């Protein structure tokens, strides 16, 4: 069909019949459109007028009405009057239609983008058919035959025809051409798909198709939409697909608009109250027709995804206003406030729709969840239905019993009931007694079962029983054979008696024969006795074999028990070894702990002894120091006695006098009444050969370090001479005298 296109700028003849019908309602209400839209509509109306005046175009339109299969895009003289923009669009779409198969396979994304921007009106019919693959359907040939048939939905279709696009010029007049072709298409489909039949919302979709193309092509496109675009599932009597769409759409609202979802839940504003018509009619009953037609373009290309996207975009754009309304206010808002917002054109809402997050995988997951929920609901409904049926039957039975019941009971009837009650109670008491007896028996049998031999003994007894039964069977067989032999011998014996009775009457020859027969009988008797002995021997052998088999079984069981005992012994031996090892380990750990405790005690004792030794050493060192001091004092005393140091002693006395004077001054300043007590004066004198400095804390060479406290403490001045030979000049100048006065005075003042 696409190969029959003549020029890229041609028009599709099947769309010309509905151009005027689409543009006339738009021009009838120009106050609702923007100036640009009004101007565009004016241009379209002018082109439509030119098309109507063109005879070739009119002939092509009439031809397409008669036979839609020969619809072609033909050239027209009106194309010379189109604007350059429209010419470019027509050339582009004409090329797309001519090369449809290649474009659909290789440039699908670019095709989607063009469809989202809008299909030109005159190309819409052919592009819709190409998008849904509705051209040249076999069912198209059946359309005329279907119109001759009678549909059970005709009354419903007739009733709803007037409600479909009641304000549109093509459908508003009763029994008009638009209503008639709409009725034909709806009737034909109700005959093709008897399960769906007719659904009211589907008439709006068919009406939109009839605005773009003849009824045969509209019928084919509608069949493809129902089969391939999920519309058939939406329009089924159960409307299961519509419930799935509502569930998926509500989940999208909950995820992307949680505050609005909470508001809807608080107001009990269900999704089906405002969104069901969006999915059933693809916004044809909710939005202005130009906007809905643009959305339908995208629906033909992408399916129901655009309905979800546009619905979410509408809610996002009006979320703030909806949050302020209650349920009735929201219903009125969806019906009256939202459609005027779209009068300016569909571009804004379509652009917002493709900003909505739509995850196809998540929609599949939601579909599985909804299927699981519905299956559970169906099971619950089946159970509820069953319970209701049983309830109804029980009610009927109760009603029947109440009708049959005698309202007045006689005395005899009451006595009979009492007797039956007593009898029932007696039976219950007997049942209780029997139950108690059975319980006692069960307990007794359990006790007896507990006292029975173990499993090995039971197996042994079973084997012995089998052996006894075998021996009994052999014995019975032997007994039957012996009985048969005895019976045979008795018969022979009777015959023998009969013969021997006339022996003396017969001749010698017969007597010899009789003797031989007697011998034969004797032989047979001995043979019977031998067979009996053989039977006994066999029986005995069988008993011995049985006993041997039993003994072998017992021996095998004993060996098995011995092996089990040996394995158990090994296990116990291993456990004993393990326990012994654990015991040894425990003893070792205990010994280590005891050793550690003893070691700690020994260490403490050693440390105590070391501390005592250190203290003793300190005392000894103290004693040694004292002895050395005494030794030094003795040396100094000897030096003082042997040295001519009168001048030195005088200097010391002067220093002592100065010190006493200082002490008196200090006592006068602090108000100390008592005299200081000096136990002794120790002078330390260091003579160094390499140093001539004279170290002193004051000008007299005396360093005074008095500590005056509130207690009386002893103090001494100690002189330690260290006299060495010096090679430097001046014997007395190299001496360094250090005088340390440690005076502890009994006073009640602070430390100086």
């Amino acid at each position: 069909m696409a190969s029959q296109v003549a020029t890229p700028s041609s028009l599709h003849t099947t769309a010309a019949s509905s151009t005027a019908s689409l543009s006339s309602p738009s021009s009838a209400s120009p106050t609702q459109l923007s100036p640009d839209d009004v101007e565009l509509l004016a241009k379209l109306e002018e082109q439509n007028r030119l098309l109507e005046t063109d005879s070739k175009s009119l002939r092509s339109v009439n031809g397409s009405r008669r036979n839609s299969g020969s619809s072609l895009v033909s050239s027209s003289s009106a194309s010379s009057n189109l604007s350059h923009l429209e010419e470019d669009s027509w050339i582009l779409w004409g090329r797309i239609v001519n090369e449809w198969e290649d474009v659909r396979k290789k440039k699908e994304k670019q095709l989607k983008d063009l469809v989202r921007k809008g299909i030109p009106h005159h190309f819409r019919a052919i592009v819709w058919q190409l998008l849904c693959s509705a051209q040249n359907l076999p069912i198209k040939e059946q359309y005329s035959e279907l119109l001759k048939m009678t549909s059970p939905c005709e009354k419903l279709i007739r009733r709803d025809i007037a409600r479909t696009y009641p304000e549109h010029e093509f459908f508003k007049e009763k029994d008009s051409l638009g209503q008639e072709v709409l009725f034909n298409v709806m009737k034909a489909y109700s005959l093709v798909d008897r399960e769906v039949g007719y659904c009211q919302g589907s008439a709006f979709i068919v009406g939109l198709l009839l605005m773009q193309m003849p009824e045969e092509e509209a019928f084919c496109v509608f069949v493809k939409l129902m089969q391939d675009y999920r519309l058939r599932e939406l329009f089924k009597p159960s409307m299961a697909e519509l419930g799935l769409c509502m569930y998926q759409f509500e989940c999208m609202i909950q995820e992307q608009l949680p505050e609005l979802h909470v508001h809807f839940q608080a107001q009990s504003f269900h999704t089906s109250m405002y969104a069901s018509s969006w999915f059933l009619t693809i916004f044809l009953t909710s939005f202005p027709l130009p906007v809905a037609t643009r959305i339908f373009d995208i629906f033909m290309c992408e399916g129901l995804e655009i309905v979800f996207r546009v619905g979410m975009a509408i809610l996002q754009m009006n979320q703030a206003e909806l949050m302020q309304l209650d349920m009735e206010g929201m219903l009125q808002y969806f019906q009256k406030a939202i459609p005027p917002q779209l009068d300016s054109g569909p571009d804004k809402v379509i652009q917002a729709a493709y900003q909505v997050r739509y995850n196809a995988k998540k929609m599949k997951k939601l579909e599985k969840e909804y299927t699981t929920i519905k299956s559970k609901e169906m099971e619950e409904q089946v159970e509820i239905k069953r319970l209701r049926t049983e309830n109804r039957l029980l009610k009927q039975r109760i009603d029947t019993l109440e009708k049959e019941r005698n309202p007045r009971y006689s005395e005899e009837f009451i006595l009979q009931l009492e007797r039956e009650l007593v009898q029932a109670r007696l039976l219950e008491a007997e049942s209780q007694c029997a139950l108690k007896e059975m319980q006692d028996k069960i307990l007794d049998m359990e006790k007896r079962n507990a006292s029975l031999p173990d499993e090995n003994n039971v197996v042994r007894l079973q084997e012995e029983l089998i052996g006894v039964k075998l021996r009994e069977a052999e014995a019975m067989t032997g007994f039957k054979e012996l009985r048969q032999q005895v019976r045979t011998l008795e018969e022979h014996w009777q015959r023998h008696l009969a013969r021997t009775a006339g022996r003396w009457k017969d001749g010698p020859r017969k007597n010899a024969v009789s003797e031989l027969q007697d011998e034969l009988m004797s032989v047979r008797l001995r043979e019977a006795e031998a067979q009996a002995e053989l039977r006994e021997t066999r029986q005995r052998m069988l008993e011995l074999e049985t006993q041997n088999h039993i003994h072998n079984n017992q021996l095998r069981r004993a060996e098995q028990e011995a092996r089990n005992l040996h394995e158990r012994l090994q296990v116990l031996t291993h456990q004993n070894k393990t326990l012994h090892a654990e015991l040894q380990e425990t003893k070792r750990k205990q010994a280590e702990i005891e050793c550690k405790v003893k070691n700690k005690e020994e260490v403490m004792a050693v440390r105590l002894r070391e501390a005592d030794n250190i203290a003793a050493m300190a005392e000894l060192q103290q004693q040694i120091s004292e002895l050395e001091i005494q030794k030094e004092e003795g040396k100094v005393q000897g030096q003082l006695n042997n040295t001519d140091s009168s001048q030195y002693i005088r200097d010391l006395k002067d220093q002592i006098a100065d010190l006493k004077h200082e002490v008196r001054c200090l006592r006068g300043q602090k108000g100390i009444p008592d005299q200081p007590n000096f136990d002794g004066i120790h002078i330390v004198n260091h003579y160094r050969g390499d140093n001539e400095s004279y170290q002193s804390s004051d000008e007299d060479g005396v360093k005074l370090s008095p500590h005056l406290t509130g207690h009386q403490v002893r103090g001494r001045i100690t002189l330690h001479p260290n006299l060495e030979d010096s090679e430097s000049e001046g014997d007395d100048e190299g001496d360094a005298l250090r005088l340390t006065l440690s005076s502890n005075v009994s006073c009640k003042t602070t430390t100086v």
Side-chain angles (χ1 to χ4, degrees):
M1 183 176 180
S3 62
Q4 298 173 352
V5 178
T7 59
S9 60
S10 60
L11 298 173
H12 189 264
T13 58
T14 59
S17 61
S18 58
T19 305
S21 62
L22 177 61
S23 59
S24 57
S26 301
S27 60
S29 57
T31 56
Q32 299 179 356
L33 301 174
S34 63
D36 295 335
D37 293 334
V38 173
E39 183 180 358
L40 180 59
L41 286 174
K43 290 181 179 180
L44 290 174
E45 288 176 2
E46 179 66 17
Q47 301 308 321
N48 291 331
R49 187 181 61 78
L50 293 173
L51 287 171
E52 290 173 359
T53 58
D54 190 0
S55 59
K56 293 182 180 180
S57 297
L58 288 175
R59 281 198 299 271
S60 64
V61 170
N62 294 331
S64 66
R65 299 297 292 179
R66 288 191 301 270
N67 185 10
S68 59
S70 62
S71 299
L72 301 173
V73 178
S74 62
S75 61
S76 173
S77 61
S79 61
S80 60
N81 298 321
L82 295 174
S83 64
H84 293 288
L85 181 62
E86 291 171 341
E87 275 192 32
D88 294 339
S89 177
W90 281 39
I91 291 170
L92 177 60
W93 279 100
R95 187 178 301 134
I96 290 172
V97 170
N98 278 322
E99 302 171 358
W100 178 256
E101 295 298 331
D102 294 337
V103 172
R104 188 69 183 269
K105 292 179 181 179
K106 299 179 181 179
K107 299 181 180 181
E108 186 176 359
K109 188 176 185 301
Q110 292 84 345
L111 179 63
K112 282 186 178 181
D113 294 337
L114 287 174
V115 172
R116 290 173 186 175
K117 293 176 181 178
I119 302 172
H121 174 71
H122 297 285
F123 283 91
R124 189 163 277 144
I126 184 62
V127 173
W128 282 4
Q129 293 180 59
L130 292 172
L131 283 171
C132 65
S133 303
Q135 66 274 24
N136 298 327
L137 283 181
I139 200 171
K140 187 176 183 179
E141 304 298 332
Q142 304 175 10
Y143 182 73
S144 58
E145 297 296 329
L146 291 171
L147 295 182
K148 298 176 183 179
M149 300 170 64
T150 303
S151 172
C153 303
E154 288 185 7
K155 290 184 179 180
L156 293 174
I157 297 171
R158 288 288 184 190
R159 184 191 64 187
D160 292 336
I161 286 296
R163 303 176 186 175
T164 305
Y165 299 112
E167 298 179 356
H168 198 279
E169 293 292 336
F170 192 50
F171 299 104
K172 71 178 182 180
E173 294 183 5
K174 187 177 181 181
D175 299 330
S176 63
L177 178 61
Q179 289 190 2
E180 189 63 27
V181 294
L182 179 59
F183 173 80
N184 291 340
V185 175
M186 298 308 302
K187 172 187 172 182
Y189 185 80
S190 67
L191 292 169
V192 171
D193 190 354
R194 294 184 179 271
E195 182 182 1
V196 174
Y198 166 73
C199 187
Q200 184 179 3
S202 60
F204 289 93
I205 298 175
V206 175
L208 179 64
L209 296 176
L210 290 170
M211 295 178 195
Q212 314 296 329
M213 62 191 74
E215 57 183 290
E216 295 92 345
E217 297 177 357
F219 172 70
C220 294
V221 172
F222 184 65
V223 170
K224 291 296 290 183
L225 291 177
M226 295 292 283
Q227 292 176 354
D228 300 340
Y229 286 75
R230 297 171 59 185
L231 292 184
R232 185 175 184 274
E233 303 298 326
L234 283 173
F235 290 124
K236 276 186 177 180
S238 62
M239 289 190 170
E241 192 73 13
L242 180 62
L244 171 61
C245 293
M246 295 297 100
Y247 179 75
Q248 292 172 331
F249 191 64
E250 185 173 356
C251 290
M252 288 182 68
I253 297 172
Q254 184 177 4
E255 180 183 358
Q256 301 184 27
L257 301 173
E259 295 179 358
L260 186 61
H261 179 263
V262 171
H263 179 66
F264 283 170
Q265 295 291 327
Q267 296 295 328
S268 300
F269 192 58
H270 302 291
T271 309
S272 59
M273 297 173 69
Y274 62 92
S276 58
S277 62
W278 294 353
F279 288 89
L280 290 173
T281 64
I282 320 299
F283 299 104
L284 291 171
T285 59
S286 304
F287 292 174
L289 192 57
V291 178
T293 306
R294 281 284 303 279
I295 295 172
F296 202 86
D297 289 341
I298 304 173
F299 169 74
M300 293 293 294
C301 183
E302 302 180 17
L304 280 177
E305 177 182 342
I306 188 61
V307 182
F308 288 98
R309 289 183 175 277
V310 172
M312 287 299 299
I314 292 295
L315 294 179
Q316 288 177 353
M317 293 165 62
N318 297 275
Q319 181 179 4
E321 291 78 6
L322 291 171
M323 292 289 291
Q324 307 298 325
L325 301 173
D326 57 1
M327 184 176 67
E328 295 181 359
M330 286 188 286
L331 282 173
Q332 294 293 326
Y333 190 84
F334 275 105
Q335 293 173 2
K336 297 182 179 180
I338 290 179
Q341 297 177 6
L342 306 173
D343 288 339
S344 59
D347 293 333
K348 181 179 178 181
V349 69
I350 290 174
Q351 185 178 3
Y354 281 97
Q355 301 298 322
V356 174
R357 297 191 304 274
Y358 181 88
N359 191 340
K361 292 183 179 179
K362 188 167 185 181
M363 299 299 277
K364 288 289 185 183
K365 183 179 179 182
L366 292 174
E367 182 177 353
K368 292 180 181 179
E369 291 179 1
Y370 180 77
T371 304
T372 305
I373 293 170
K374 293 303 290 184
S375 61
K376 290 181 180 179
E377 288 180 357
M378 289 297 294
E379 292 175 0
E380 292 176 357
Q381 288 177 2
V382 170
E383 183 66 18
I384 291 170
K385 187 176 181 180
R386 185 184 65 80
L387 293 174
R388 285 178 178 173
T389 304
E390 292 181 358
N391 193 15
R392 186 177 67 255
L393 294 174
L394 290 173
K395 284 183 178 180
Q396 291 176 359
R397 186 176 178 185
I398 291 170
D399 293 339
T400 304
L401 292 174
E402 287 180 352
K403 290 177 182 178
E404 294 177 357
R405 187 183 63 184
N406 190 3
R408 295 182 181 178
Y409 298 105
S410 60
E411 247 179 74
E412 295 180 358
F413 183 74
I414 295 173
L415 291 174
Q416 180 67 24
L417 289 177
E418 289 180 353
R419 285 194 293 271
E420 290 180 359
L421 179 61
V422 171
Q423 190 70 20
R425 288 181 177 175
L426 289 174
L427 290 174
E428 183 182 3
E430 291 177 359
S431 300
Q432 291 290 336
C433 293
L435 178 63
K436 189 174 181 181
E437 290 178 0
M438 293 300 294
Q439 289 177 349
D440 295 338
K441 286 182 180 179
I442 290 171
L443 292 174
D444 188 19
M445 292 185 71
E446 287 179 352
K447 291 180 181 178
R448 290 173 61 188
N449 191 17
S451 63
L452 286 175
D454 57 358
E455 185 178 356
N456 293 328
N457 291 333
V458 171
V459 172
R460 181 174 56 80
L461 291 174
Q462 287 178 352
E463 292 177 352
E464 291 178 358
L465 178 62
I466 291 170
V468 170
K469 287 183 178 180
L470 289 173
R471 290 195 301 273
E472 184 180 1
E474 291 288 339
M476 290 298 295
T477 304
F479 179 71
K480 287 179 181 179
E481 291 178 356
L482 289 174
R483 181 180 290 178
Q484 183 65 31
Q485 290 179 1
V486 169
R487 193 179 295 114
T488 304
L489 289 173
E490 285 181 353
E491 291 175 356
H492 285 293
W493 178 252
Q494 292 297 330
R495 286 196 299 270
H496 174 70
L497 290 176
R499 286 195 301 271
T500 55
R503 178 182 301 178
W504 301 106
K505 298 178 182 179
D506 297 332
R509 191 173 180 177
K510 290 184 177 180
N511 291 334
V513 172
S514 299
E515 289 178 357
L516 292 174
Q517 289 179 352
D518 291 341
E519 289 180 1
L520 179 62
M521 183 59 64
S522 299
V523 170
R524 287 181 176 177
L525 287 173
R526 286 195 298 272
E527 182 183 3
E529 289 177 358
Q531 287 181 356
E533 290 178 358
L534 180 62
R535 293 287 179 186
E536 283 187 19
T537 304
R538 287 181 178 177
Q539 185 69 25
R540 182 64 180 168
M541 186 178 66
L542 184 62
E543 290 179 358
L544 292 174
E545 288 178 354
T546 304
Q547 290 179 0
N548 187 20
H549 181 68
I550 292 171
H551 291 158
N552 289 332
N553 290 335
Q554 290 178 352
L555 182 61
R556 191 164 52 252
R557 286 195 298 271
E559 290 176 354
Q560 183 66 30
E561 290 179 358
R563 283 195 297 270
N564 294 334
L565 291 174
H566 183 67
E567 291 176 357
R568 188 175 179 186
L569 178 62
Q570 289 180 351
V571 172
L572 293 175
T573 304
H574 180 68
Q575 291 179 354
N576 189 15
K577 289 181 179 179
T578 305
L579 293 174
H580 185 69
E582 291 179 356
L583 179 61
Q584 293 296 330
E585 184 68 19
T586 305
K587 287 182 178 180
R588 185 182 63 78
K589 290 181 179 179
Q590 185 178 3
E592 288 180 356
I593 292 170
E594 291 177 355
C595 290
K596 288 180 180 179
V597 172
K598 290 181 180 179
N599 290 333
K600 286 182 180 179
E601 292 177 355
E602 291 176 357
V603 168
M604 291 299 294
V606 169
R607 287 180 180 177
L608 290 174
R609 287 195 297 272
E610 287 179 355
D612 293 338
N613 293 332
I614 290 170
M617 288 175 64
E619 291 179 357
L620 292 173
Q621 288 178 355
Q622 183 68 26
Q623 292 177 2
I624 290 169
S625 300
E626 290 178 355
L627 291 174
E628 287 179 352
I629 292 170
Q630 291 178 4
K631 181 180 178 181
E632 292 295 332
E633 289 178 354
K635 289 181 180 180
V636 172
Q637 187 69 29
Q639 290 176 359
L640 290 175
N641 292 329
N642 298 325
T643 305
D644 188 9
S645 57
S646 57
Q647 182 63 32
Y648 182 73
I649 292 172
R650 282 195 299 272
D651 294 334
L652 289 177
K653 287 181 180 180
D654 294 335
Q655 290 177 8
I656 291 170
D658 294 334
L659 291 173
K660 287 181 180 180
H661 177 69
E662 263 184 57
V663 170
R664 281 195 299 271
C665 292
L666 291 172
R667 187 181 295 153
Q669 291 177 1
K670 300 295 182 177
I672 299 174
D674 298 330
Q675 296 288 335
N677 296 326
F678 291 93
D679 292 337
I681 297 174
H682 300 277
I683 298 170
V684 180
N685 187 12
H686 297 277
Y687 295 95
R688 294 181 181 177
D690 58 348
N691 190 1
E692 295 179 355
S693 63
Y694 177 69
Q695 299 176 355
S696 175
S697 61
D698 55 4
E699 59 182 2
D700 294 329
V702 179
K703 182 178 179 181
L704 181 63
S705 302
H707 297 277
L708 304 177
T709 62
H711 302 279
Q712 183 176 355
V713 189
R714 295 181 179 272
R716 292 187 300 179
I717 297 175
T718 305
L719 179 63
H720 298 282
N722 187 7
L723 189 59
E724 298 178 357
D725 294 334
S726 178
E727 297 178 357
S728 62
E729 296 179 356
D731 295 333
D732 296 332
E733 292 178 357
D735 296 337
L737 178 65
R738 183 177 64 186
L739 179 64
T740 303
L741 176 64
S742 298
S743 175
N744 294 326
V745 185
S746 175
C747 61
K748 296 182 180 179
T749 61
T750 59
T751 304
V752 177

